[in-house]
Amino acid sequence: MQEDDLINLISQYEIKSAELEINLSKRKEINDIVAKFTNDFIERLPYSKSFINKNIQKERLEISGLPHSLEELLLKYSDEVIETGIKPASGGHIGYIPGGGIFAGAIGDFLAAVSNVYAGVSFASPGAVAIENEVINWLKKIFGFPQNAVGNLASGGSVSNLIALAAARDKFQIKNDKVITSVIYLTTQSHHCIQKALRIIGLEDVIIRYVTLDNYFKMDTMALKQQIETDLANDLNPFLIIASAGTTDVGAIDPLDEIAGIAKRFNLWFHVDAAYGGFFIMTSKKDLFKGIEQADSLVVDPHKGMFLPYGIGAVLIKDASSVLHANHYSGNYMQDAVIDDLAIDPANLSPELTKHFRGLRMWLPLQLHGEEPFIACLEEKLLLTEYFRQKLLLLGFKVGPAPDLSVSYFWYPASKDANKFNRTLMQNIHKDGSVFLSSTLIDEHFVIRMAILSFRTKRYTIDKAIDMIKSALESTKHGLA
Ligand SMILES: Cc1ncc(COP(=O)(O)O)c(C=O)c1O
């Protein structure tokens, strides 16, 4: 093409493509609209439902390929996304594992997205990578990990567990024929993402031992020790123990110190999934976590116990070479970015190359607020759990054993078919939706679960939950009479 024609053609496309760089006055307008929308959303939260079980109108979300106004899109977002299903930003979300999503975390994401810095390798953005690593260093301090341990900020607990388990696999070189004789120890209370990770990393055919639980749903360490001895006597290859520091069902913390001792004695990798419970180490519950510092790898989710918006989990690993083994690769196109200390670059410690700059959504809130409000919030959640359980007992409910942390369960001791009664009660609670609770099965018994971890859950939220449960109980009694 002649140069003039080329310039002409570029100019034509420039006009249309320039629409993607929104100009300053329009940006200010958009900032105002979005600020109003988010502020209204937050102010309305205490008065709105936490669960709305309605069908969405998918056709309103269809992409037509044509431009629409922001006002129209925000309306659709509100109707079809915010006002449907569970509202995780609400303090009334006390099902599954909530967190809330603090505003400072959202600001961190906004800044990360606008500046679009590349947090995968330090050559590209030494500052962003330094922030990622500073967050990891802060976590190492909290959990008593040595400074030469490495870590990564992943999307959540599932991917963080996957990274840790792959490191354990590679440390012990569990591959080929070795897979079917190698043994992993966990409990039926381990989170299902562990099984998922094992399948993904090629360990589907490994031998899994579900170690007996004690009456508090914690790993029975005598049973663990005996099982390892039996497996060794049978020429099997024990290599990994997976403990929980805060199980999803009941919030139990396994006896970490004893398990650490057993792992050391038999030379096994000791992994702790503290995705939910980990940050309670900063509270009066600290002693329950004794032994966590001896773990070879640890997972903790800031989008749970630090109340950050969804999308951040963390993994810490002591043996850098084992995690580098699976994740460090290079390509010719990366030759400018090679550094001596491979573990500095997040891209070498995770399956991600281009990664979201997650460090900022944690670094910024920690720097803005300091640690104390986070600790106070966790202590508050522990006390609210006790408060909730006391109120439930007064209503005639049975409650599970006193929890280690802020997850517990309850059920109504109906005289006939208690499972059916409690399932109907759960449906009535969901129909109301003022507060959201979820359910689980404990030894085949249908129970209603409470998980108090949102920073927005306050005493008035628990009072609201009690009022809601009381009227759902009455409806259930009448409905089933
Ligand atoms: C103990 C535990 N581990 C792992 C996970 C999975 O984490 P994520 O949902 O962030 O992937 C959860 C989620 O609730 C959990 O409670």
Side-chain angles (χ1 to χ4, degrees):
M1 203 183 289
Q2 295 290 318
E3 191 178 336
D4 284 353
D5 295 340
L6 195 56
I7 290 173
N8 250 333
L9 204 53
I10 291 172
S11 307
Q12 282 173 35
Y13 283 120
E14 260 176 9
I15 296 167
K16 196 68 195 166
S17 67
E19 288 176 18
L20 295 181
E21 186 65 281
I22 298 172
N23 68 37
L24 180 60
S25 73
K26 185 78 186 150
R27 268 201 318 274
K28 282 183 176 164
E29 209 180 286
I30 288 175
N31 281 342
D32 288 348
I33 293 171
V34 172
K36 180 175 178 341
F37 182 87
T38 51
N39 286 332
D40 288 352
F41 168 73
I42 292 172
E43 292 306 310
R44 270 200 321 269
L45 276 175
Y47 314 102
S48 53
K49 297 251 180 207
S50 299
F51 182 55
I52 304 170
N53 189 8
K54 75 166 198 211
N55 291 330
I56 60 161
Q57 296 179 45
K58 280 197 195 140
E59 62 283 0
R60 288 187 77 200
L61 305 178
E62 266 167 22
I63 299 173
S64 68
L66 299 170
H68 298 266
S69 75
L70 182 60
E71 286 86 346
E72 180 196 339
L73 298 172
L74 287 178
L75 188 65
K76 287 180 182 176
Y77 181 65
S78 179
D79 293 348
E80 307 301 335
V81 181
I82 289 182
E83 298 302 330
T84 59
I86 303 169
K87 206 171 279 175
S90 159
H93 178 18
I94 49 182
Y96 303 115
I97 304 280
I102 52 175
F103 192 67
I107 297 300
D109 268 2
F110 180 68
L111 292 173
V114 172
S115 49
N116 199 25
V117 286
Y118 182 83
V121 297
S122 52
F123 170 79
S125 179
V129 169
I131 283 184
E132 296 275 314
N133 286 325
E134 183 54 26
V135 168
I136 295 291
N137 287 338
W138 182 77
L139 291 169
K140 286 188 224 165
K141 252 186 278 162
I142 287 180
F143 290 101
F145 267 49
Q147 275 309 301
N148 64 356
V150 299
N152 193 262
L153 299 176
S155 59
S158 301
V159 175
S160 301
N161 273 304
L162 185 131
I163 293 172
L165 300 182
R169 175 199 64 188
D170 292 349
K171 171 81 179 175
F172 286 80
Q173 299 189 21
I174 310 299
K175 52 186 172 180
N176 306 328
D177 293 351
K178 220 170 164 187
V179 173
I180 54 172
T181 55
S182 295
V183 193
I184 299 178
Y185 304 84
L186 39 85
T187 77
T188 50
Q189 291 290 305
S190 304
H191 192 272
H192 74 270
C193 73
I194 300 280
Q195 324 273 357
K196 205 163 135 175
L198 292 176
R199 262 190 238 161
I200 296 171
I201 65 173
L203 295 186
E204 182 173 3
D205 296 330
V206 89
I207 300 167
I208 294 182
R209 302 285 188 218
Y210 293 99
V211 181
T212 316
L213 295 166
D214 68 11
N215 291 338
Y216 298 93
F217 303 97
K218 300 177 185 215
M219 192 182 277
D220 177 339
T221 47
M222 270 304 273
L224 171 67
K225 191 170 142 288
Q226 279 166 6
Q227 185 65 61
I228 296 171
E229 282 166 347
T230 307
D231 289 337
L232 285 169
N234 287 323
D235 281 336
L236 295 175
N237 177 40
F239 78 101
L240 168 63
I241 306 174
I242 301 173
S244 305
T247 56
T248 317
D249 258 354
V250 300
I253 302 178
D254 286 329
L256 303 176
D257 208 28
E258 288 175 43
I259 298 172
I262 293 171
K264 195 178 267 168
R265 177 166 159 200
F266 292 100
N267 190 26
L268 313 187
W269 184 287
F270 174 33
H271 173 67
V272 180
D273 179 2
Y276 150 63
F279 287 109
F280 284 101
I281 199 173
M282 298 195 290
T283 71
S284 48
K285 297 280 183 172
K286 186 175 175 51
D287 288 351
L288 290 174
F289 291 86
K290 193 166 177 313
I292 205 165
E293 71 289 347
Q294 296 179 61
D296 293 290
S297 54
L298 164 73
V299 163
V300 64
D301 269 0
H303 66 191
K304 296 183 172 78
M306 284 207 48
F307 327 111
L308 298 185
Y310 289 142
I312 181 166
V315 56
L316 301 180
I317 298 176
K318 285 188 184 150
D319 185 307
S321 60
S322 58
V323 66
L324 284 167
H325 181 84
N327 297 293
H328 170 242
Y329 273 88
S330 202
N332 293 342
Y333 40 82
M334 295 292 291
Q335 65 184 1
D336 302 329
V338 174
I339 53 168
D340 290 339
D341 185 355
L342 293 172
I344 285 180
D345 285 348
N348 291 338
L349 302 171
S350 118
E352 295 178 281
L353 174 57
T354 302
K355 82 191 281 287
H356 175 51
F357 178 21
R358 298 184 184 99
L360 192 59
R361 53 167 33 217
M362 180 145 160
W363 181 88
L364 191 80
L366 268 172
Q367 300 283 50
L368 266 178
H369 296 296
E371 292 172 9
E372 272 186 28
F374 290 95
I375 300 170
C377 207
L378 290 166
E379 294 283 9
E380 181 192 24
K381 304 310 147 208
L382 293 168
L383 295 173
L384 287 177
T385 310
E386 196 180 325
Y387 179 76
F388 198 0
R389 284 164 52 89
Q390 284 178 11
K391 295 265 175 194
L392 286 164
L393 285 170
L394 293 176
L395 283 184
F397 282 93
K398 297 274 184 204
V399 295
D404 283 338
L405 302 174
S406 68
V407 173
S408 183
Y409 61 91
F410 60 96
W411 70 100
Y412 194 74
S415 50
K416 60 173 195 237
D417 204 346
N419 274 7
K420 183 174 172 200
F421 186 95
N422 284 288
R423 191 171 278 116
T424 311
L425 175 61
M426 181 84 273
Q427 284 162 358
N428 286 332
I429 289 172
H430 284 168
K431 233 181 262 168
D432 180 303
S434 317
V435 169
F436 179 78
L437 293 138
S438 56
S439 68
T440 189
L441 290 176
I442 301 284
D443 297 332
E444 303 303 315
H445 295 295
F446 186 99
V447 296
I448 301 176
R449 224 181 122 263
M450 59 168 98
I452 302 181
L453 196 60
S454 167
F455 76 103
R456 289 197 176 102
T457 304
K458 299 283 155 191
R459 192 159 59 84
Y460 75 79
T461 328
I462 305 301
D463 292 337
K464 189 157 93 171
I466 288 293
D467 287 346
M468 177 194 71
I469 291 168
K470 206 166 153 185
S471 71
L473 181 62
E474 288 311 311
S475 317
T476 310
K477 281 180 181 169
H478 288 121
L480 289 179

